[in-house]
Structure formats: C-alpha cells, structure tokens
Amino acid sequence: MDYYKNRTLTFNNVNIVEGYSVAGPKENDGRYKGFFDLALKDDMFGQNTFERAERKMFEHAIEGVIAKANLVDADINGIVGGDLLNQIVSMSFAARKHNVGFLGLYNACATFVESLIVGSTLVSCGYENVVCTAGSHFSTAERQYRYPLELGVLRSPVTQWTATGVGATIVSNNSEQIVPKVTRATVGHVVDYGIMDVNNMGAAMAPSACDTLVTFFKDTGTRPEDYDVIYTGDLGKLGSDILLDLTRQEGYDISAQQHDCGASLYWDEQQTYQGGSGAACSALVFNAVLLGRLRRGEYSKILLAGTGALMSPTTSFQGDSIPAITHLVEVCI
Amino acid sequence: MDYYKNRTLTFNNVNIVEGYSVAGPKENDGRYKGFFDLALKDDMFGQNTFERAERKMFEHAIEGVIAKANLVDADINGIVGGDLLNQIVSMSFAARKHNVGFLGLYNACATFVESLIVGSTLVSCGYENVVCTAGSHFSTAERQYRYPLELGVLRSPVTQWTATGVGATIVSNNSEQIVPKVTRATVGHVVDYGIMDVNNMGAAMAPSACDTLVTFFKDTGTRPEDYDVIYTGDLGKLGSDILLDLTRQEGYDISAQQHDCGASLYWDEQQTYQGGSGAACSALVFNAVLLGRLRRGEYSKILLAGTGALMSPTTSFQGDSIPAITHLVEVCI
C-alpha cells in the first residue's frame, strides 16, 4: 500500500462524558443482551413505517444521552451524525427536535466513527458538548438497498445482517471526572479493489481497514500490542479473516487484538451468516460495551476502526465496483 | 425565534488559498458566463450516464483546485464534501482518485458551506490543506427527486432549477500571501415550519436562513451593514422575499446586502422561474464570483449562508413536512 503521513489528528482534551444505545429485538437477543440502555420489543417501535421507527430510535438515543449526562439542550452545541437512508433522513428529522447546531454526515457504516472525529474537531475548536451519533435499521436498509422484505429472497452465505440500533456519545472539552478520551484519529481514504459483489461487503472493506490501521500505526509509531483491543466496525467473519491476512503482509499481526463489532453482535444460531453490518454495529458496541469496559478499567487503550462501503444501488446497476472507507479513533483512559 | 448563544465558532488561521469551479452549459449561459474555470459544452461530459458525468465534474473540480493552488496530492490532508445523490456517490467515487483522508457530508444544498465549516475545523486541528467541495447536476437530481426527464412534466411557477456544477475550495493553515479567511461560522439547526410542498423549497428554507443569520448577528454583535454582501444559497426569488420579511420582524434589515446564489445564477429568459437550486449554487457563486471579488478588494467582509432542505422522496411520500437547515460562514480579507 502507498503510505502518506498526513492523515492522523491529535486531540488534547476530548472527553467522552456519556454514551447511550437503543437496540432492536434481534440485537438484544445476541451476545450483548442486557447491555443496551433501551431494547425494543419490536422493530416498528410503535410507528406506522419502519423509516419512522428508525427516526424514533435516533430521537430516543439523542434525548437519552443528553439526559443520562445530566445535561439539557442548552448545554449542547452540536449534533453530528448520519444513517444509511437516502438523504440521511432519520438523522436529519430527529435533529429538528433540538435547537442545536447540526452537521449531517455520511460515510456508510463508518459514519459513527466519522461522527466521533467531527465531534472531536468541534470540541477542539471551542464547542463544549457535541452529540455524535449513527445508526441503522434492518427493515429500512433491506428494502432500500436490496429487495422488498415480502419477497423472501434467500440470502447468500457471504452476506451480513444489517443491525437495528442507534448509538449516541457526548464528547466534551469540559469534564470534572476522569473519563475515556478520544486522543488520536486517522481519517480514512477511499480504497477500491474492484470488488463487484454487493453481497460480499466484508471483502470490499477489508483492504480499506488494513490501509487505515497500518497508516495509524506508522503515523504514531505504535504497534497492535500497545492496545487492549482493536475493534473493526462491520467486516464480518470473512472480512475479518481477510483483514488479518492483509495486515500481516504489511508487517502487523493484529490477530490477538482484533474483534469485529458486527461479527460479535449475534450468536451463530441467529443465522446472520457473517454477522452484523450497518452503521449501528460500531455505534452499539462502542456505547453499550466498550465504553463501560474502559470506565471500569478493563481496557485502558483501544482502537475503534469504523468500516464503510460507499456504493449505492444506482452505482451497482451502472456497473461500478464498491469503494470502501475506514475511519479510526484511539480511545484511552 | 428561540435563541441559544452557543453555535458560532471562531477561527484564527483558516486561509482560503484557492477556488475552482466546473459549471454546466446552462449555468455558463447565465449571469456569470465566463467566470467558471471549466464550462461544459454538454452536461453528459463525455460519459454514458448523467451520474457518471456528475462524478467526473467532482473529479475535475478536485484535481483542478489542487493544481491551481500549485499543490499535489501529498500536500492535501483531507477532502470533505458531498452531493445530492443517494449515498453521496458522486463525491465518494471521485474521492477514491486521491490517497487523501475523506469525510462525506450531507446537508442537502447547504453542503458546500458545511464543507467549509468542517474543513475549517480540520485545519484548526492541524491539517495543513483541506479541499472543501459540493455540487449537483440537474439531470441526476431531476430523475432521483422528481420525475423521469422523458416524461416532460410541466413545472410549477414556484419551482427552481437544480444547477449543474461543482465548486471546490482549498482551506489552509499555511499561506504566505494575504488571502481571504474563514473567520467565523454558525452551524445551523434544523427548522421545520410544516411546509409540505416539495415544489416550494424557498418557503421551506427561508425560516431556517432567518434563524441562522439572526443567531450569527446576536452571537457576534454584528449588524447587516457590517458586511458588503450577504449571499444566501438557493432560496430563490420568492424565498428571498420571505427571508427579508422574517429578518425584518427580528429587527434586522438585510435588504441592502442580501443576494441569493441561486436567484442570481440565471437570466429571466432562461425560464428557471425562481432561479437555481442545488448544492452547486453556493459552490459555484462562491468559487467563481465571490472569491475573486474578495481578492480584488471589491469586498472585504461577506457572509455566505448555505440553505438546505432535508427531506427525501420517501419522507414526502410518507406525509412528512420539509425540515431545513442553514449554515453560515463569515469570510474576510
């Protein structure tokens, strides 16, 4: 891979003061049952469309994280984030409930880590508190990106299952307590290895994850063993295997540290094949699982590398391959 | 309007070192004929689909602005921006040509000003050079948001015409020359007045433009007369009239300073009715027109307020109203 040393940012005072997660029923039947702040009993969430249910999850996550941090809207300077729907409407419509600055983001399933990076820059530029958020919904994504649910299309064994959930995190330049901090970040670049199979996104994203991880290690002079864990976003099981091979070729063995948010989300019996995908994977696992382990001292230094596939149905119909991107944050306590 | 004093950022060293614009044929037949770095003879730009033509405009604008600034890819730390297509694919696919960090943004037609804000925060956090970009294409937007072009649907007199073009700007923390600077920015919040008519976006966006402008004036203690011009993004003629009324009710008369990028883009004979719309409006007018006037000393202080309507066809079909957002930057030399 080509390496340019100019993409890693350092932050001095970005405190992660609170996290909140809203998970779908299948997600709360998975490996992290009971970890979520709110687990839905059904994925309609009392709404008349799946899209409105997704929006309501965002509304709950944003309100939830602000209340959990003992803050009110007037304390919040900005909300940054996005989702997988066209024109990121779940995020945008949820944001209208708050008289707070809003920056809409889209980097597919890497959007949650993108939101942490943009939130960290805003906090470094003077905003006191910023809500960083992202999420996805199986039923809205399935009908927008693939087939009508009613069609009952058989799934390929290399597919993943779009996770239903929203995670929200408040980053702040003002914290009286010792909390986890976003200390460094590497903004990913777009990597395209010509993968055309939209059912095999793990393979399309693995080279990008390798690129960003290796760039971060070189930029900072760190090694995989400096970290307790390295969580990728939603490579799935197959994509994770490819990533381990690719990083090994670059001289970094991450097999002892690497986990994948998507691959870890469900039990095998839940038949998601390669595991979860979607912007919810890293948003849920970070807010519901990793943040708690950092606070309790189980981890002191972690990397979270959000992975995203940047195609649309239109580009696939027009014969284009799948570009991918991976953004990374280092979180320490 | 409710007013919270916590959304305006101040930047100390964000230099606008270069701008570049690629415009469609109709745009170069309009009021700014000859102002653009590249004017297309036809809006297919040698491609076999409109979507690929839009992508190629982005590629040209990014390469163009880097070359015009006498830089190479290795000097650029990041590209930030977006477009109006689902999953911002024009921007994302264009970004894969560069081994440079990429953050995808989406705030509809406010995306260009959003990109200037995010670029300014990155430069303030240590990135040396960031490309900020946004654009749109009449023919891709029309068939994604409205009707197939072949249908020949009659347009309502309150409609606007999605502009074809891409603008790109390099912001830098390193400039030996005296160049315009991004000095302050107000991140907009989402305002929804319940407008349901997707043909009348100017009316949906005007309250949002008022909100952000008045917030900026109050945050900074400035008045409209402190600025040579105040350009809104794509309110159109009708939307601009509404904005003048709304700001007057808040105690600010901006009628002597206000222009609208979209409304000023075409001649009346070009039959765009209320003028241009789309992410290209502010991107084209800022890079092709305003930047030159600042450099030549014709203006010394301006405001650019990018306006965006955040609905999607899906939300409109499901009976939702049109939320809007306006981001503002102050540019001084």
Side-chain angles (χ1 to χ4, degrees), chain B residues 261-333:
Chain B
C261 297
S264 72
L265 202 52
Y266 305 100
W267 300 113
D268 287 346
E269 307 86 83
Q270 292 181 286
Q271 298 204 333
T272 60
Y273 302 118
Q274 301 301 323
S277 67
C281 291
S282 48
L284 286 179
V285 172
F286 181 75
N287 288 290
V289 185
L290 303 181
L291 209 46
R293 292 183 184 161
L294 283 158
R295 285 169 161 183
R296 291 191 299 273
E298 296 168 34
Y299 299 151
S300 64
K301 283 179 86 172
I302 72 167
L303 297 179
L304 178 68
T307 43
L310 300 176
M311 82 296 167
S312 79
T314 302
T315 58
S316 297
F317 292 152
Q318 294 187 2
D320 283 311
S321 54
I322 305 175
I325 195 159
T326 301
H327 298 305
L328 178 148
V329 286
E330 180 193 62
V331 181
C332 302
I333 189 161

